[in-house]
Amino acid sequence: MPFEFGIKDIIDIFLVALILYYLYRLMKESRSLNIFIGVMVFVIVWLFVSQVLEMRLLGSILDKLVSVGVIAMIVLFQEEIRKFLYTLGAHQRIRRFARLFTSNKSDKDMEVTRATIMPIVMACMSMSKGKIGALIVIERGAPLDDIIDTGDVIDANINQRLIENIFFKNSPLHDGAMIISNKRITAAGCILPVSHNRDIPKELGLRHRAAMGISQESDAIAVVVSEETGRISVAVKGQFHLRLSAEELESILTREID
């Protein structure tokens, strides 16, 4: 029977290529690219031996290795798999589809969101003028409990003066990150994962790399005030928005905060 190449085969190839592409990006971000390449080489050899050459003995040995290797890969890359699944669920189009089954924001919810955003914006503008370094992380869907545990718990209402006092140069908590969760200042002085992305401009310091790191490992929004230049930046979804004005900062936070 001659081989027929139809629309299903095109879709099949496209989906496999898409999965491999996302796995490649995920391994590259987690600095596990060499392991990913090694696994792909092993899979290609396994398919060539078992499907093309039809070597039964060697093929059966490789089959056993693959079955055991899948379990080992799940254990080895459990954090990356969790991140991949979360990223898939948090994709913008999927979230839009989910919102079709939920009610729209009420005017009261919009007022609460604005009351959350404006103290952050005003504090950042004030610290920008005084060139006071700051790093504020706003939790969204993914919980940041492991990050919160690295700092000091505060649990206070979002207040401009409190934010400025925490990041004041003589404050013992000014070097770490502030975590905002459930529209409250949850903790300060927290330690964030640092991004090793080489595409980050060299003039951006450790605060920016930490902001990028948390935005890559979660869906959180990270706001940075540079101590050297006073410029305001936002890291979200692994991307930087640099040199923001008050209006631009407010717009980004309003758009990104659910």
Side-chain angles (χ1 to χ4, degrees):
M1 182 176 179
F3 176 73
E4 296 181 359
F5 190 82
I7 187 67
K8 287 186 178 181
D9 300 295
I10 296 175
I11 296 174
D12 188 20
I13 294 172
F14 173 76
L15 291 176
V16 171
L18 190 64
I19 292 172
L20 290 177
Y21 170 72
Y22 275 105
L23 286 175
Y24 169 81
R25 285 183 54 186
L26 191 63
M27 293 296 106
K28 186 177 181 180
E29 290 176 0
S30 62
R31 294 179 293 169
S32 304
L33 185 57
N34 290 336
I35 297 178
F36 175 76
I37 294 174
V39 171
M40 292 305 301
V41 170
F42 180 82
V43 170
I44 292 172
V45 171
W46 168 57
L47 291 175
F48 183 75
V49 168
S50 60
Q51 301 296 325
V52 179
L53 300 181
E54 296 183 350
M55 295 181 176
R56 295 183 179 180
L57 180 59
L58 184 57
S60 62
I61 293 174
L62 293 178
D63 288 342
K64 297 295 182 181
L65 290 176
V66 168
S67 60
V68 175
V70 169
I71 300 175
M73 292 294 290
I74 292 175
V75 174
L76 186 61
F77 294 106
Q78 55 181 325
E79 288 297 323
E80 284 78 7
I81 293 172
R82 182 188 65 82
K83 180 184 175 184
F84 172 75
L85 294 176
Y86 180 83
T87 302
L88 182 64
H91 194 278
Q92 188 174 4
R93 292 181 181 177
I94 296 178
R95 293 178 68 181
R96 286 177 181 174
F97 178 76
R99 286 195 183 107
L100 294 176
F101 302 96
T102 59
S103 58
N104 294 328
K105 278 187 176 182
S106 64
D107 293 338
K108 184 177 180 180
D109 292 333
M110 294 296 292
E111 290 178 3
V112 171
T113 301
R114 183 173 177 80
T116 301
I117 292 173
M118 290 314 298
I120 300 173
V121 174
M122 298 304 294
C124 288
M125 295 308 299
S126 177
M127 291 185 291
S128 175
K129 292 179 181 178
K131 291 187 177 180
I132 298 173
L135 177 52
I136 303 172
V137 178
I138 304 172
E139 180 188 86
R140 293 201 287 180
L144 300 176
D145 295 343
D146 54 336
I147 302 296
I148 293 172
D149 291 340
T150 64
D152 294 305
V153 176
I154 295 178
D155 191 23
N157 291 326
I158 300 175
N159 181 278
Q160 177 184 347
R161 291 185 178 180
L162 178 57
I163 295 174
E164 293 181 31
N165 283 333
I166 288 175
F167 289 111
F168 185 68
K169 292 181 180 180
N170 292 331
S171 168
L173 300 175
H174 79 281
D175 277 334
M178 173 187 292
I179 308 297
I180 293 179
S181 174
N182 296 320
K183 298 180 174 62
R184 292 180 65 82
I185 300 175
T186 305
C190 299
I191 300 173
L192 303 183
V194 177
S195 174
H196 297 276
N197 189 342
R198 295 182 180 180
D199 295 331
I200 298 176
K202 292 183 179 180
E203 62 268 18
L204 301 182
L206 188 59
R207 280 193 179 92
H208 290 82
R209 288 193 170 274
M212 177 60 73
I214 193 65
S215 75
Q216 289 175 334
E217 295 195 5
S218 72
D219 64 342
I221 306 168
V223 183
V224 184
V225 180
S226 173
E227 189 172 354
E228 289 76 22
T229 63
R231 291 171 181 164
I232 300 173
S233 307
V234 171
V236 56
K237 300 174 185 175
Q239 298 292 329
F240 265 129
H241 302 271
L242 302 173
R243 303 179 181 180
L244 300 176
S245 64
E247 292 77 14
E248 290 170 333
L249 176 60
E250 180 184 355
S251 176
I252 291 173
L253 294 182
T254 302
R255 182 178 69 248
E256 296 294 341
I257 294 178
D258 295 331

